[in-house]
């Protein structure tokens, strides 16, 4: 009996040792597996900005409004099958028709800033932040994760460089995107040459990561990206839609919530993306605001109405700006022609109408009005602000609507004074942004657009059907063909976001 008891005790000890060893092995293995790995793309934006800069500041991380995949907290690989769901109850949209007025200047888009009462969109959701308070990790960057490339972004001036020929461009084929309106659809309007589509912006000290639509959409989870400005921002808005469309396996999961087709006659668009099932949706929006300050009218002594611009009052579309998570502003081209440039009985401050006022000084005061609004109304924990700089026009023999032309241009400017031209409006932009309390990221595209005399619609801003000859009397040498130069602006937004993430890591 004693031998049997001793044998049983020995077996019990051996068994216990084995179980303890096994459990310890499992624990150590799982601990290693659960340790977080470093990633350049952990955050979409850094957590806190300390000072406003004119380019690439450390800006604030907007609070994530949508949860990461609750099961894995992992990015979605671009090779995964993505199931979409259109019956999402988390968005409520209220829409009423928006009235537009005719544009007296013709070439640029019609209408002024529209009232906030005309169209109302509410996006409500029961979204939560991830456990770290950061935006979820992006998707597979398809080669953009190369350590050398990403490290080179850290100290790179994205806006100093040149254009290089690249046969892998454009990122999306001309004619493939249904969101390019007639004014920017150069190939669809009969432009025969296509080399202007084969140029890629190359900063001197780094390469731009190729725009990854899947990654960008993943980072936009639950957010509203809004472009606010004149028709140049509509130019960029259409480019952004076409770029992001490339990341959708099912193109029907992208739609304009009003059912409107993009034209220059409307000033408000909201495109909704529903691409990763019940947890995922975002919007990309355009709000027209020619000047960022309030356009109005006055009644003269003869009883006629004349336009005015209140340079000390923010535009009436600003109520919409508050609802966005990421804002991209611009203004500039409307200040260079017509009544705005003449400044006669046009500019107002308070109730006072200036009989004559300098347009450059008016521009400065208007930008300060916008900057003050940003400082007082932007929540750094929830919103991120970009300002895209002035894009160069390339008129020969005149200006806009005065005989200027640019047809026949097939390659970028390679030398000449225009490459170093820097408009006074951009110097004012830099000064105003430097004085702001809230940081604004300046996308300074002026230099890179100086090169691109070949990128404008020129005579191909309108479709000539039934063999009708295209008119050369009025040419668009201000806006840009899409695909084309605006794609580089959006690549720079993407690169700026990655640059900040790399700098933080």
């Amino acid at each position: 009996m004693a031998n049997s008891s001793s044998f049983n005790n020995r077996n019990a000890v051996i068994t216990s040792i084995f179980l303890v060893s096994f459990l310890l092995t499992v624990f150590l293995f799982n601990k290693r597996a659960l340790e977080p790995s470093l990633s350049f793309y952990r955050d979409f934006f850094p957590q806190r900005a300390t000072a406003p800069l004119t380019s690439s500041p450390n800006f604030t991380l907007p609070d994530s409004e949508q949860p990461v995949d609750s099961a894995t907290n992992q990015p979605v690989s671009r090779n995964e099958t993505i199931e979409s769901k259109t019956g999402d109850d988390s968005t409520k949209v209220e829409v009423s028709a928006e009235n537009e007025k005719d544009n007296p200047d013709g070439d640029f888009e019609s209408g002024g800033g529209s009232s906030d009462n005309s169209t109302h969109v509410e996006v409500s959701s029961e979204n939560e932040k991830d456990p770290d308070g950061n935006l979820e990790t992006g998707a597979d960057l398809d080669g953009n994760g190369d350590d050398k490339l990403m490290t080179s972004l850290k100290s790179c001036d994205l806006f100093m460089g040149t254009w290089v020929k690249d046969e892998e461009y454009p990122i999306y084929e001309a004619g493939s995107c249904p969101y390019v309106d007639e004014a920017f659809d150069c190939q669809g309007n009969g432009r025969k040459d296509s080399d202007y589509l084969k140029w890629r912006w190359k900063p001197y000290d780094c390469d731009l990561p190729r725009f990854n639509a899947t990654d960008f959409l993943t980072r936009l989870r639950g957010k509203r990206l809004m472009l606010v400005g004149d028709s140049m921002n509509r130019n960029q808005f259409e480019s952004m839609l076409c770029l992001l469309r490339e990341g959708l396996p099912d193109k029907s999961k992208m739609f304009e919530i009003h059912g409107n087709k993009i034209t220059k006659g409307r000033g408000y668009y909201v495109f909704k993306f529903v691409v990763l099932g019940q947890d995922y949706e975002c919007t990309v929006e355009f709000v027209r605001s020619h000047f960022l300050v309030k356009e109005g009218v006055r009644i003269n002594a003869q009883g006629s109405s004349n336009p005015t611009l209140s340079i000390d009052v923010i535009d009436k579309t600003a109520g919409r700006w508050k609802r966005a998570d990421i804002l991209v502003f611009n203004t500039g081209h409307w200040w260079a022609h017509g009544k705005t440039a003449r400044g006669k009985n046009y500019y107002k401050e308070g109730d006072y109408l200036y009989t004559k006022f300098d347009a450059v000084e008016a521009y400065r005061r208007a930008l300060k009005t916008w900057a003050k609004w940003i400082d007082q109304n932007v929540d750094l924990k929830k919103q991120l602000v970009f300002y895209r700089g002035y894009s160069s026009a390339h008129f020969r023999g005149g200006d806009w609507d005065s005989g200027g032309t640019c047809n026949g241009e097939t390659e970028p400017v390679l030398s000449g004074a225009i490459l170093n031209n820097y408009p006074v409006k951009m110097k004012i932009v830099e000064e105003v942004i430097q004085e702001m309390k809230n940081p604004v990221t300046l996308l300074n595209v002026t230099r890179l657009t100086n090169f691109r005399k070949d990128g404008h619609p020129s005579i191909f801003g309108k479709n000539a059907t039934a063999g009708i000859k295209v008119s050369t009397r009025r040419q668009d040498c201000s806006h840009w063909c899409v695909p084309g130069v605006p794609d580089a602006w959006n690549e720079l937004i993407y690169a700026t976001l990655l640059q900040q993430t790399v700098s933080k890591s």
Side-chain angles (χ1 to χ4, degrees), residues 30-31 40 91 131 139 150-151 189 206 305 320 322 330 382 415 500 505:
N30 285 339
K31 183 176 184 297
F40 284 129
T91 300
M150 300 314 297
T151 301
N189 293 340
C206 64
S305 62
R320 292 172 179 162
K322 293 181 180 181
N330 94 297
K382 296 181 179 179
S415 62
Q500 292 304 308
S505 64

Side-chain angles (χ1 to χ4, degrees), residues 93 264 400:
V93 180
K264 67 180 181 180
W400 175 81

Side-chain angles (χ1 to χ4, degrees), residues 83-91 250-255 272-281:
E83 297 182 359
S84 302
K85 178 180 178 181
T86 56
D88 195 336
D89 295 328
S90 64
T91 300
D250 182 352
K251 306 300 191 231
S252 70
K253 302 308 180 187
M254 169 186 181
F255 52 90
K272 182 178 178 181
F273 295 76
V274 183
V275 282
L276 296 180
Q278 62 183 0
D279 284 339
Y280 188 105
E281 69 177 35

Side-chain angles (χ1 to χ4, degrees), residues 211 213 216-217 220 240-248 273 284:
F211 189 94
F216 203 110
L217 283 169
L220 281 182
M240 179 66 81
L241 294 178
C242 294
L243 287 167
L244 293 179
R245 183 175 182 268
E246 292 297 293
L248 299 181
F273 295 76
V284 178

Side-chain angles (χ1 to χ4, degrees), residues 107-173:
D107 185 63
F108 292 83
E109 78 278 9
S110 62
S114 56
S115 170
D116 229 13
N117 296 328
S118 60
T119 306
H120 181 57
V121 180
E122 295 183 359
V123 180
S124 60
S125 59
E126 298 178 359
N127 303 322
E128 299 175 359
K129 294 187 294 183
D130 73 353
D132 297 325
N134 301 323
L135 191 69
E136 64 272 19
T137 305
D140 176 10
L141 295 187
D142 191 21
N144 287 346
D146 177 81
D147 288 352
K148 184 177 179 181
L149 184 150
M150 300 314 297
T151 301
S152 72
L153 280 178
K154 192 170 184 178
S155 58
C156 181
D157 184 343
L158 301 177
F159 308 103
M160 292 297 292
T162 190
W163 293 85
V164 296
K165 207 69 177 288
D166 192 329
E167 292 300 324
E168 294 186 1
Y169 274 64
I171 297 174
Y172 53 95
E173 291 299 321

